[in-house]
Amino acid sequence: MRIAIDLMGGDYAPQAIIEGALLLARAYPEDRLLLVGLPQVKTAFPDLPDNCLYLDCGSVMAMDEDVRGLMRKKDSSIWMATELVKTGEADAVISAGSTGAQMAAATLLLGRIPGCERPAIATVVPTAAGAKLLLDVGANADCSPELLLTFARMGAVYAEQLLNYDNPRVALLANGTEEHKGNKLVREAYALIKGSDLHFIGNLEGRDILTGNYEVIVCDGMSGNIAIKSMEGAVAMIMQLLKQELTSSLKAKAAAAMLKNNFRNVRKALDQEEYGGAPLLGLSGISIVCHGGSSAKSIFSAGKLARKCHTNDFVNKLTAAFMAEPIQ
Amino acid sequence: MRIAIDLMGGDYAPQAIIEGALLLARAYPEDRLLLVGLPQVKTAFPDLPDNCLYLDCGSVMAMDEDVRGLMRKKDSSIWMATELVKTGEADAVISAGSTGAQMAAATLLLGRIPGCERPAIATVVPTAAGAKLLLDVGANADCSPELLLTFARMGAVYAEQLLNYDNPRVALLANGTEEHKGNKLVREAYALIKGSDLHFIGNLEGRDILTGNYEVIVCDGMSGNIAIKSMEGAVAMIMQLLKQELTSSLKAKAAAAMLKNNFRNVRKALDQEEYGGAPLLGLSGISIVCHGGSSAKSIFSAGKLARKCHTNDFVNKLTAAFMAEPIQ
């Protein structure tokens, strides 16, 4: 397959992004990678593998740049990379840059699936019961109950097609598990999803996200973003505390050295890099959103996800699911 | 001082609650504890210290019971314990039972501070930069921008009076730090708080909660609840993973034994029990909300918090602050 990669987006761009692209190029020599970046980046990486093609862009959408400016920056890396999918020159696009800009470019260039009012970002969560799905995690801060039902449908198709779950259990994220919990949005969405043909299991709380007794948790983009970033913050704090303690004395250092592999296993179980990307759901094309702090490994994982979406014909399956189950 | 304690609320009630009360009774012999519980509980604990008085209640509000039923259960432990504050027989009430029932009882019996439309639950967060405040964490799933401004004012008074911060920095919880981030509620509250005389520092994300580069983070009750429970879930998962790894072999067990004190320090730094309770803010009286899963130690901490609120004359100071700064 052919993957367009925005080299300019992300905290460690272009270095980490290029390194991730090179990992992909070597792992999948049959693929073709279209690397979109500023001309000066190309000169820094003169020896690209044969299956990498470098394409010059003229500008970059900054992380905090107003998305409305995108229409005046059609030479930006994210616009040009997404355009390659629109024109059929690429099968997917990957970026770790401004999510707003990526979503705007994808919506404008690729279009939405009929029945999906607004795209969502779904993230795979490494839980105690395997990989599960949480959406939306940041694309839509304000949602309607109908939009949450759309997210529930998209999440269920994702869980079936890409995570291989049969009849995936769908839940809503709330401040309690009882039916009357949640804000007005959640309570209204509860009734809608309960009335649908989805396998709805009611409300779950923040602490349930990592237990994994569900396949899909649906929420508005602000709640989802708060949930994952709060968990990230907690993990970072514990790792920091452990590091302090385990280097606080010679004895601690010696014991910690004996546990090196054990700590590595813990880190691995928590490793978001393993999942490294999330497709924008609801668009007529594959656009993989990566964390701003993406490493080369994250980009590599995002590439594997793009391949999975492509080989599973995910977008067409999602479209078919929406055709079969029109929103009331 | 005199503290009324609801013995019947909480996952480990009445055992853990009574044990917590006994810790308080012994630590502060000058205090008087009014223990409200069912008659059969009294018989299980016949030898109470002299400064504990047992008061029989006739019923209990269950955790998931509809709060509207409270008016028909004026013999319930939470109603009776709160009534002791109303009649002046107690200076504060503590409960680990249904938060909704506790809030309803407190609002009905103690009344609200003028200018505070609805009470909020503030929780103290153990951050890398000391104890900070997050509110609301569950009392109000649906909020108006004006209510978030009220929470900001109450949080600032709390941070000043009970956490000893000068000119506390107040932030909003959102899905990004830029001014345009957040949902409609957050964006409108941003303008209101920015226009107030509070020391407003803009938006913070979920991952910033534990860094502590603020004194007060304000949010609606659903977002706050999702944030703290997501962090709780992440901490629980890491602890579980560590436990698995550190007991996975004899070598690991031996090394882990050498690090016992270090792990204890990490657990201590993360220990919510140290904070153990949160006052309902905005009420004309002290009502301390405890986590449903409260241990004896949590109840003890909640008692210390009640003492701090009382000796600092917190409710009057909060009322005075609202008189001086009327809501526009």
Side-chain angles (χ1 to χ4, degrees), chain A residues 99 134 137-138 221-236 272 291-292, chain B residues 173-178 181 204-210 227 230-231 234:
Chain A
T99 303
L134 176 67
V137 294
M222 195 175 92
S223 297
N225 190 279
I226 288 173
I228 53 165
K229 288 190 177 157
S230 295
M231 293 191 290
E232 265 179 46
V235 171
Q272 282 286 353
H291 198 295
Chain B
L173 184 61
N175 57 326
T177 53
E178 302 91 340
K181 287 286 186 170
L204 289 177
E205 297 183 271
R207 78 178 106 216
D208 301 316
I209 296 172
L210 291 176
S230 296
M231 293 190 291

PDB file of all heavy atoms in Angstrom, chain A residues 99 134 137-138 221-236 272 291-292, chain B residues 173-178 181 204-210 227 230-231 234:
ATOM      1  N   THR A  99      -3.973  18.313  15.473  1.00  0.00           N
ATOM      2  CA  THR A  99      -5.110  17.431  15.234  1.00  0.00           C
ATOM      3  C   THR A  99      -6.244  18.192  14.551  1.00  0.00           C
ATOM      4  O   THR A  99      -6.916  17.672  13.657  1.00  0.00           O
ATOM      5  CB  THR A  99      -5.629  16.838  16.570  1.00  0.00           C
ATOM      6  OG1 THR A  99      -4.555  16.160  17.193  1.00  0.00           O
ATOM      7  CG2 THR A  99      -6.764  15.863  16.335  1.00  0.00           C
ATOM      8  N   LEU A 134     -11.690   3.757  23.079  1.00  0.00           N
ATOM      9  CA  LEU A 134     -12.299   4.920  23.717  1.00  0.00           C
ATOM     10  C   LEU A 134     -12.449   6.013  22.667  1.00  0.00           C
ATOM     11  O   LEU A 134     -11.498   6.345  21.972  1.00  0.00           O
ATOM     12  CB  LEU A 134     -11.394   5.406  24.864  1.00  0.00           C
ATOM     13  CG  LEU A 134     -11.790   6.680  25.628  1.00  0.00           C
ATOM     14  CD1 LEU A 134     -13.067   6.472  26.431  1.00  0.00           C
ATOM     15  CD2 LEU A 134     -10.666   7.095  26.575  1.00  0.00           C
ATOM     16  N   VAL A 137     -11.807  11.241  21.708  1.00  0.00           N
ATOM     17  CA  VAL A 137     -10.814  11.703  22.671  1.00  0.00           C
ATOM     18  C   VAL A 137     -10.257  13.081  22.308  1.00  0.00           C
ATOM     19  O   VAL A 137      -9.145  13.409  22.709  1.00  0.00           O
ATOM     20  CB  VAL A 137      -9.657  10.691  22.845  1.00  0.00           C
ATOM     21  CG1 VAL A 137     -10.177   9.417  23.484  1.00  0.00           C
ATOM     22  CG2 VAL A 137      -8.970  10.392  21.531  1.00  0.00           C
ATOM     23  N   GLY A 138     -11.038  13.860  21.603  1.00  0.00           N
ATOM     24  CA  GLY A 138     -10.550  15.224  21.406  1.00  0.00           C
ATOM     25  C   GLY A 138     -11.018  15.946  20.157  1.00  0.00           C
ATOM     26  O   GLY A 138     -10.792  17.140  20.017  1.00  0.00           O
ATOM     27  N   GLY A 221     -15.654  14.619  23.190  1.00  0.00           N
ATOM     28  CA  GLY A 221     -14.210  14.741  23.007  1.00  0.00           C
ATOM     29  C   GLY A 221     -13.484  15.398  24.164  1.00  0.00           C
ATOM     30  O   GLY A 221     -12.309  15.109  24.403  1.00  0.00           O
ATOM     31  N   MET A 222     -14.160  16.265  24.913  1.00  0.00           N
ATOM     32  CA  MET A 222     -13.484  16.880  26.054  1.00  0.00           C
ATOM     33  C   MET A 222     -13.353  15.868  27.190  1.00  0.00           C
ATOM     34  O   MET A 222     -12.278  15.727  27.770  1.00  0.00           O
ATOM     35  CB  MET A 222     -14.185  18.146  26.532  1.00  0.00           C
ATOM     36  CG  MET A 222     -13.256  18.933  27.448  1.00  0.00           C
ATOM     37  SD  MET A 222     -13.853  20.533  28.015  1.00  0.00           S
ATOM     38  CE  MET A 222     -14.655  20.064  29.547  1.00  0.00           C
ATOM     39  N   SER A 223     -14.423  15.139  27.483  1.00  0.00           N
ATOM     40  CA  SER A 223     -14.367  14.134  28.554  1.00  0.00           C
ATOM     41  C   SER A 223     -13.316  13.071  28.250  1.00  0.00           C
ATOM     42  O   SER A 223     -12.552  12.658  29.130  1.00  0.00           O
ATOM     43  CB  SER A 223     -15.727  13.454  28.723  1.00  0.00           C
ATOM     44  OG  SER A 223     -16.699  14.384  29.110  1.00  0.00           O
ATOM     45  N   GLY A 224     -13.298  12.593  26.995  1.00  0.00           N
ATOM     46  CA  GLY A 224     -12.347  11.554  26.615  1.00  0.00           C
ATOM     47  C   GLY A 224     -10.918  12.040  26.716  1.00  0.00           C
ATOM     48  O   GLY A 224     -10.017  11.314  27.152  1.00  0.00           O
ATOM     49  N   ASN A 225     -10.724  13.291  26.313  1.00  0.00           N
ATOM     50  CA  ASN A 225      -9.398  13.874  26.383  1.00  0.00           C
ATOM     51  C   ASN A 225      -8.947  14.017  27.836  1.00  0.00           C
ATOM     52  O   ASN A 225      -7.801  13.712  28.191  1.00  0.00           O
ATOM     53  CB  ASN A 225      -9.439  15.246  25.694  1.00  0.00           C
ATOM     54  CG  ASN A 225      -8.064  15.839  25.500  1.00  0.00           C
ATOM     55  OD1 ASN A 225      -7.522  16.404  26.430  1.00  0.00           O
ATOM     56  ND2 ASN A 225      -7.497  15.684  24.321  1.00  0.00           N
ATOM     57  N   ILE A 226      -9.853  14.472  28.700  1.00  0.00           N
ATOM     58  CA  ILE A 226      -9.540  14.613  30.122  1.00  0.00           C
ATOM     59  C   ILE A 226      -9.194  13.240  30.717  1.00  0.00           C
ATOM     60  O   ILE A 226      -8.232  13.095  31.471  1.00  0.00           O
ATOM     61  CB  ILE A 226     -10.718  15.270  30.880  1.00  0.00           C
ATOM     62  CG1 ILE A 226     -10.808  16.750  30.504  1.00  0.00           C
ATOM     63  CG2 ILE A 226     -10.580  15.099  32.392  1.00  0.00           C
ATOM     64  CD1 ILE A 226     -12.035  17.466  31.045  1.00  0.00           C
ATOM     65  N   ALA A 227      -9.968  12.215  30.332  1.00  0.00           N
ATOM     66  CA  ALA A 227      -9.728  10.867  30.870  1.00  0.00           C
ATOM     67  C   ALA A 227      -8.349  10.355  30.480  1.00  0.00           C
ATOM     68  O   ALA A 227      -7.566   9.937  31.340  1.00  0.00           O
ATOM     69  CB  ALA A 227     -10.816   9.908  30.396  1.00  0.00           C
ATOM     70  N   ILE A 228      -8.017  10.391  29.188  1.00  0.00           N
ATOM     71  CA  ILE A 228      -6.730   9.794  28.807  1.00  0.00           C
ATOM     72  C   ILE A 228      -5.549  10.617  29.306  1.00  0.00           C
ATOM     73  O   ILE A 228      -4.536  10.073  29.719  1.00  0.00           O
ATOM     74  CB  ILE A 228      -6.577   9.511  27.290  1.00  0.00           C
ATOM     75  CG1 ILE A 228      -6.863  10.732  26.440  1.00  0.00           C
ATOM     76  CG2 ILE A 228      -7.441   8.355  26.834  1.00  0.00           C
ATOM     77  CD1 ILE A 228      -6.369  10.551  25.002  1.00  0.00           C
ATOM     78  N   LYS A 229      -5.704  11.943  29.310  1.00  0.00           N
ATOM     79  CA  LYS A 229      -4.579  12.751  29.774  1.00  0.00           C
ATOM     80  C   LYS A 229      -4.423  12.666  31.290  1.00  0.00           C
ATOM     81  O   LYS A 229      -3.309  12.769  31.804  1.00  0.00           O
ATOM     82  CB  LYS A 229      -4.723  14.193  29.297  1.00  0.00           C
ATOM     83  CG  LYS A 229      -4.453  14.286  27.797  1.00  0.00           C
ATOM     84  CD  LYS A 229      -4.337  15.693  27.288  1.00  0.00           C
ATOM     85  CE  LYS A 229      -3.989  15.694  25.799  1.00  0.00           C
ATOM     86  NZ  LYS A 229      -4.385  16.941  25.145  1.00  0.00           N
ATOM     87  N   SER A 230      -5.527  12.458  32.021  1.00  0.00           N
ATOM     88  CA  SER A 230      -5.413  12.267  33.477  1.00  0.00           C
ATOM     89  C   SER A 230      -4.691  10.958  33.762  1.00  0.00           C
ATOM     90  O   SER A 230      -3.833  10.888  34.649  1.00  0.00           O
ATOM     91  CB  SER A 230      -6.802  12.259  34.120  1.00  0.00           C
ATOM     92  OG  SER A 230      -7.425  13.517  33.967  1.00  0.00           O
ATOM     93  N   MET A 231      -5.027   9.917  32.994  1.00  0.00           N
ATOM     94  CA  MET A 231      -4.342   8.631  33.184  1.00  0.00           C
ATOM     95  C   MET A 231      -2.865   8.770  32.827  1.00  0.00           C
ATOM     96  O   MET A 231      -1.995   8.282  33.557  1.00  0.00           O
ATOM     97  CB  MET A 231      -5.016   7.550  32.342  1.00  0.00           C
ATOM     98  CG  MET A 231      -6.427   7.227  32.825  1.00  0.00           C
ATOM     99  SD  MET A 231      -7.155   5.743  32.083  1.00  0.00           S
ATOM    100  CE  MET A 231      -7.417   6.291  30.409  1.00  0.00           C
ATOM    101  N   GLU A 232      -2.565   9.443  31.723  1.00  0.00           N
ATOM    102  CA  GLU A 232      -1.172   9.698  31.329  1.00  0.00           C
ATOM    103  C   GLU A 232      -0.410  10.395  32.451  1.00  0.00           C
ATOM    104  O   GLU A 232       0.722  10.034  32.777  1.00  0.00           O
ATOM    105  CB  GLU A 232      -1.137  10.634  30.114  1.00  0.00           C
ATOM    106  CG  GLU A 232      -1.044   9.980  28.770  1.00  0.00           C
ATOM    107  CD  GLU A 232      -1.054  11.042  27.671  1.00  0.00           C
ATOM    108  OE1 GLU A 232      -0.335  12.066  27.785  1.00  0.00           O
ATOM    109  OE2 GLU A 232      -1.811  10.853  26.712  1.00  0.00           O
ATOM    110  N   GLY A 233      -1.069  11.408  33.035  1.00  0.00           N
ATOM    111  CA  GLY A 233      -0.435  12.171  34.120  1.00  0.00           C
ATOM    112  C   GLY A 233      -0.158  11.305  35.332  1.00  0.00           C
ATOM    113  O   GLY A 233       0.896  11.419  35.953  1.00  0.00           O
ATOM    114  N   ALA A 234      -1.108  10.416  35.647  1.00  0.00           N
ATOM    115  CA  ALA A 234      -0.925   9.545  36.808  1.00  0.00           C
ATOM    116  C   ALA A 234       0.224   8.571  36.561  1.00  0.00           C
ATOM    117  O   ALA A 234       1.066   8.346  37.435  1.00  0.00           O
ATOM    118  CB  ALA A 234      -2.223   8.790  37.107  1.00  0.00           C
ATOM    119  N   VAL A 235       0.282   8.001  35.363  1.00  0.00           N
ATOM    120  CA  VAL A 235       1.365   7.076  35.023  1.00  0.00           C
ATOM    121  C   VAL A 235       2.715   7.799  35.110  1.00  0.00           C
ATOM    122  O   VAL A 235       3.667   7.288  35.717  1.00  0.00           O
ATOM    123  CB  VAL A 235       1.158   6.479  33.607  1.00  0.00           C
ATOM    124  CG1 VAL A 235       2.394   5.698  33.172  1.00  0.00           C
ATOM    125  CG2 VAL A 235      -0.084   5.591  33.583  1.00  0.00           C
ATOM    126  N   ALA A 236       2.771   8.999  34.548  1.00  0.00           N
ATOM    127  CA  ALA A 236       4.023   9.766  34.565  1.00  0.00           C
ATOM    128  C   ALA A 236       4.455  10.053  36.002  1.00  0.00           C
ATOM    129  O   ALA A 236       5.638   9.952  36.337  1.00  0.00           O
ATOM    130  CB  ALA A 236       3.863  11.070  33.789  1.00  0.00           C
ATOM    131  N   GLN A 272       1.872   3.255  25.433  1.00  0.00           N
ATOM    132  CA  GLN A 272       0.966   3.808  24.424  1.00  0.00           C
ATOM    133  C   GLN A 272       1.604   3.749  23.040  1.00  0.00           C
ATOM    134  O   GLN A 272       0.901   3.717  22.037  1.00  0.00           O
ATOM    135  CB  GLN A 272       0.603   5.262  24.756  1.00  0.00           C
ATOM    136  CG  GLN A 272      -0.440   5.402  25.860  1.00  0.00           C
ATOM    137  CD  GLN A 272      -1.841   5.042  25.402  1.00  0.00           C
ATOM    138  OE1 GLN A 272      -2.089   4.806  24.229  1.00  0.00           O
ATOM    139  NE2 GLN A 272      -2.766   4.976  26.340  1.00  0.00           N
ATOM    140  N   HIS A 291      -0.169  11.130  18.448  1.00  0.00           N
ATOM    141  CA  HIS A 291       0.115  11.987  19.595  1.00  0.00           C
ATOM    142  C   HIS A 291       1.187  13.006  19.203  1.00  0.00           C
ATOM    143  O   HIS A 291       2.110  12.672  18.464  1.00  0.00           O
ATOM    144  CB  HIS A 291       0.631  11.073  20.710  1.00  0.00           C
ATOM    145  CG  HIS A 291       0.567  11.679  22.073  1.00  0.00           C
ATOM    146  ND1 HIS A 291       1.304  12.766  22.429  1.00  0.00           N
ATOM    147  CD2 HIS A 291      -0.161  11.349  23.165  1.00  0.00           C
ATOM    148  CE1 HIS A 291       1.047  13.075  23.696  1.00  0.00           C
ATOM    149  NE2 HIS A 291       0.144  12.220  24.161  1.00  0.00           N
ATOM    150  N   GLY A 292       1.065  14.242  19.709  1.00  0.00           N
ATOM    151  CA  GLY A 292       2.071  15.264  19.411  1.00  0.00           C
ATOM    152  C   GLY A 292       3.472  14.838  19.822  1.00  0.00           C
ATOM    153  O   GLY A 292       4.450  15.161  19.161  1.00  0.00           O
TER     154      GLY A 292
ATOM    155  N   LEU B 173     -10.210  23.274  33.715  1.00  0.00           N
ATOM    156  CA  LEU B 173      -9.824  21.986  33.132  1.00  0.00           C
ATOM    157  C   LEU B 173     -10.415  21.902  31.719  1.00  0.00           C
ATOM    158  O   LEU B 173     -11.620  22.112  31.529  1.00  0.00           O
ATOM    159  CB  LEU B 173     -10.362  20.841  33.996  1.00  0.00           C
ATOM    160  CG  LEU B 173      -9.977  19.419  33.578  1.00  0.00           C
ATOM    161  CD1 LEU B 173      -8.465  19.222  33.624  1.00  0.00           C
ATOM    162  CD2 LEU B 173     -10.665  18.391  34.481  1.00  0.00           C
ATOM    163  N   ALA B 174      -9.561  21.609  30.742  1.00  0.00           N
ATOM    164  CA  ALA B 174     -10.039  21.557  29.353  1.00  0.00           C
ATOM    165  C   ALA B 174      -9.247  20.523  28.561  1.00  0.00           C
ATOM    166  O   ALA B 174      -8.389  19.834  29.108  1.00  0.00           O
ATOM    167  CB  ALA B 174      -9.910  22.929  28.701  1.00  0.00           C
ATOM    168  N   ASN B 175      -9.551  20.411  27.292  1.00  0.00           N
ATOM    169  CA  ASN B 175      -8.857  19.465  26.420  1.00  0.00           C
ATOM    170  C   ASN B 175      -7.727  20.143  25.660  1.00  0.00           C
ATOM    171  O   ASN B 175      -7.501  19.870  24.480  1.00  0.00           O
ATOM    172  CB  ASN B 175      -9.847  18.815  25.443  1.00  0.00           C
ATOM    173  CG  ASN B 175     -10.589  19.841  24.618  1.00  0.00           C
ATOM    174  OD1 ASN B 175     -10.890  20.929  25.101  1.00  0.00           O
ATOM    175  ND2 ASN B 175     -10.902  19.519  23.376  1.00  0.00           N
ATOM    176  N   GLY B 176      -7.029  21.036  26.326  1.00  0.00           N
ATOM    177  CA  GLY B 176      -5.926  21.754  25.709  1.00  0.00           C
ATOM    178  C   GLY B 176      -5.748  23.057  26.462  1.00  0.00           C
ATOM    179  O   GLY B 176      -6.659  23.509  27.155  1.00  0.00           O
ATOM    180  N   THR B 177      -4.576  23.647  26.391  1.00  0.00           N
ATOM    181  CA  THR B 177      -4.304  24.828  27.212  1.00  0.00           C
ATOM    182  C   THR B 177      -4.681  26.141  26.514  1.00  0.00           C
ATOM    183  O   THR B 177      -4.806  27.167  27.187  1.00  0.00           O
ATOM    184  CB  THR B 177      -2.801  24.882  27.582  1.00  0.00           C
ATOM    185  OG1 THR B 177      -2.046  24.793  26.375  1.00  0.00           O
ATOM    186  CG2 THR B 177      -2.423  23.730  28.493  1.00  0.00           C
ATOM    187  N   GLU B 178      -4.859  26.123  25.211  1.00  0.00           N
ATOM    188  CA  GLU B 178      -5.165  27.368  24.499  1.00  0.00           C
ATOM    189  C   GLU B 178      -6.549  27.897  24.885  1.00  0.00           C
ATOM    190  O   GLU B 178      -7.436  27.140  25.245  1.00  0.00           O
ATOM    191  CB  GLU B 178      -5.100  27.146  22.984  1.00  0.00           C
ATOM    192  CG  GLU B 178      -3.765  26.627  22.478  1.00  0.00           C
ATOM    193  CD  GLU B 178      -3.707  25.099  22.426  1.00  0.00           C
ATOM    194  OE1 GLU B 178      -4.527  24.432  23.110  1.00  0.00           O
ATOM    195  OE2 GLU B 178      -2.843  24.572  21.711  1.00  0.00           O
ATOM    196  N   LYS B 181      -9.726  26.330  23.505  1.00  0.00           N
ATOM    197  CA  LYS B 181     -10.007  24.918  23.800  1.00  0.00           C
ATOM    198  C   LYS B 181     -11.175  24.796  24.781  1.00  0.00           C
ATOM    199  O   LYS B 181     -11.617  25.773  25.367  1.00  0.00           O
ATOM    200  CB  LYS B 181      -8.758  24.252  24.389  1.00  0.00           C
ATOM    201  CG  LYS B 181      -7.684  24.006  23.341  1.00  0.00           C
ATOM    202  CD  LYS B 181      -8.058  22.843  22.435  1.00  0.00           C
ATOM    203  CE  LYS B 181      -6.899  22.526  21.491  1.00  0.00           C
ATOM    204  NZ  LYS B 181      -7.135  21.265  20.782  1.00  0.00           N
ATOM    205  N   LEU B 204      -5.948  24.239  31.810  1.00  0.00           N
ATOM    206  CA  LEU B 204      -4.979  23.160  32.016  1.00  0.00           C
ATOM    207  C   LEU B 204      -5.602  21.856  31.518  1.00  0.00           C
ATOM    208  O   LEU B 204      -6.822  21.742  31.388  1.00  0.00           O
ATOM    209  CB  LEU B 204      -4.602  23.035  33.495  1.00  0.00           C
ATOM    210  CG  LEU B 204      -3.726  24.169  34.052  1.00  0.00           C
ATOM    211  CD1 LEU B 204      -3.494  23.972  35.543  1.00  0.00           C
ATOM    212  CD2 LEU B 204      -2.373  24.215  33.323  1.00  0.00           C
ATOM    213  N   GLU B 205      -4.743  20.862  31.243  1.00  0.00           N
ATOM    214  CA  GLU B 205      -5.209  19.567  30.746  1.00  0.00           C
ATOM    215  C   GLU B 205      -5.181  18.524  31.866  1.00  0.00           C
ATOM    216  O   GLU B 205      -4.589  18.744  32.923  1.00  0.00           O
ATOM    217  CB  GLU B 205      -4.298  19.094  29.630  1.00  0.00           C
ATOM    218  CG  GLU B 205      -4.274  19.978  28.421  1.00  0.00           C
ATOM    219  CD  GLU B 205      -3.389  19.371  27.332  1.00  0.00           C
ATOM    220  OE1 GLU B 205      -2.175  19.651  27.329  1.00  0.00           O
ATOM    221  OE2 GLU B 205      -3.924  18.606  26.517  1.00  0.00           O
ATOM    222  N   GLY B 206      -5.763  17.362  31.570  1.00  0.00           N
ATOM    223  CA  GLY B 206      -5.781  16.277  32.547  1.00  0.00           C
ATOM    224  C   GLY B 206      -4.400  15.934  33.065  1.00  0.00           C
ATOM    225  O   GLY B 206      -4.220  15.639  34.253  1.00  0.00           O
ATOM    226  N   ARG B 207      -3.399  15.968  32.195  1.00  0.00           N
ATOM    227  CA  ARG B 207      -2.051  15.552  32.627  1.00  0.00           C
ATOM    228  C   ARG B 207      -1.409  16.589  33.554  1.00  0.00           C
ATOM    229  O   ARG B 207      -0.405  16.311  34.196  1.00  0.00           O
ATOM    230  CB  ARG B 207      -1.172  15.308  31.408  1.00  0.00           C
ATOM    231  CG  ARG B 207      -0.634  16.548  30.770  1.00  0.00           C
ATOM    232  CD  ARG B 207       0.279  16.226  29.592  1.00  0.00           C
ATOM    233  NE  ARG B 207      -0.396  16.524  28.344  1.00  0.00           N
ATOM    234  CZ  ARG B 207      -0.269  15.809  27.239  1.00  0.00           C
ATOM    235  NH1 ARG B 207       0.488  14.763  27.216  1.00  0.00           N
ATOM    236  NH2 ARG B 207      -0.913  16.137  26.145  1.00  0.00           N
ATOM    237  N   ASP B 208      -1.981  17.806  33.615  1.00  0.00           N
ATOM    238  CA  ASP B 208      -1.409  18.846  34.473  1.00  0.00           C
ATOM    239  C   ASP B 208      -1.883  18.730  35.919  1.00  0.00           C
ATOM    240  O   ASP B 208      -1.331  19.378  36.801  1.00  0.00           O
ATOM    241  CB  ASP B 208      -1.801  20.232  33.944  1.00  0.00           C
ATOM    242  CG  ASP B 208      -1.326  20.460  32.520  1.00  0.00           C
ATOM    243  OD1 ASP B 208      -0.172  20.104  32.231  1.00  0.00           O
ATOM    244  OD2 ASP B 208      -2.102  20.971  31.690  1.00  0.00           O
ATOM    245  N   ILE B 209      -2.917  17.931  36.162  1.00  0.00           N
ATOM    246  CA  ILE B 209      -3.516  17.884  37.498  1.00  0.00           C
ATOM    247  C   ILE B 209      -2.484  17.488  38.549  1.00  0.00           C
ATOM    248  O   ILE B 209      -2.399  18.090  39.608  1.00  0.00           O
ATOM    249  CB  ILE B 209      -4.718  16.905  37.531  1.00  0.00           C
ATOM    250  CG1 ILE B 209      -5.836  17.418  36.600  1.00  0.00           C
ATOM    251  CG2 ILE B 209      -5.257  16.750  38.958  1.00  0.00           C
ATOM    252  CD1 ILE B 209      -6.980  16.432  36.415  1.00  0.00           C
ATOM    253  N   LEU B 210      -1.656  16.493  38.244  1.00  0.00           N
ATOM    254  CA  LEU B 210      -0.695  16.003  39.236  1.00  0.00           C
ATOM    255  C   LEU B 210       0.642  16.748  39.234  1.00  0.00           C
ATOM    256  O   LEU B 210       1.466  16.529  40.113  1.00  0.00           O
ATOM    257  CB  LEU B 210      -0.464  14.503  39.055  1.00  0.00           C
ATOM    258  CG  LEU B 210      -1.672  13.636  39.426  1.00  0.00           C
ATOM    259  CD1 LEU B 210      -1.402  12.178  39.118  1.00  0.00           C
ATOM    260  CD2 LEU B 210      -2.039  13.799  40.891  1.00  0.00           C
ATOM    261  N   ALA B 227     -11.874  12.800  35.725  1.00  0.00           N
ATOM    262  CA  ALA B 227     -10.433  13.013  35.898  1.00  0.00           C
ATOM    263  C   ALA B 227      -9.905  12.249  37.113  1.00  0.00           C
ATOM    264  O   ALA B 227      -8.946  11.485  36.991  1.00  0.00           O
ATOM    265  CB  ALA B 227     -10.137  14.507  36.039  1.00  0.00           C
ATOM    266  N   SER B 230     -10.220   8.432  36.659  1.00  0.00           N
ATOM    267  CA  SER B 230      -9.276   7.914  35.658  1.00  0.00           C
ATOM    268  C   SER B 230      -7.886   7.807  36.264  1.00  0.00           C
ATOM    269  O   SER B 230      -7.169   6.821  36.035  1.00  0.00           O
ATOM    270  CB  SER B 230      -9.242   8.830  34.423  1.00  0.00           C
ATOM    271  OG  SER B 230     -10.494   8.839  33.781  1.00  0.00           O
ATOM    272  N   MET B 231      -7.512   8.810  37.053  1.00  0.00           N
ATOM    273  CA  MET B 231      -6.199   8.757  37.712  1.00  0.00           C
ATOM    274  C   MET B 231      -6.159   7.601  38.716  1.00  0.00           C
ATOM    275  O   MET B 231      -5.183   6.855  38.758  1.00  0.00           O
ATOM    276  CB  MET B 231      -5.889  10.091  38.397  1.00  0.00           C
ATOM    277  CG  MET B 231      -5.684  11.220  37.393  1.00  0.00           C
ATOM    278  SD  MET B 231      -5.020  12.752  38.121  1.00  0.00           S
ATOM    279  CE  MET B 231      -6.405  13.289  39.091  1.00  0.00           C
ATOM    280  N   ALA B 234      -5.655   4.428  36.864  1.00  0.00           N
ATOM    281  CA  ALA B 234      -4.292   4.264  36.359  1.00  0.00           C
ATOM    282  C   ALA B 234      -3.358   3.840  37.498  1.00  0.00           C
ATOM    283  O   ALA B 234      -2.529   2.944  37.329  1.00  0.00           O
ATOM    284  CB  ALA B 234      -3.805   5.564  35.719  1.00  0.00           C
TER     285      ALA B 234
END
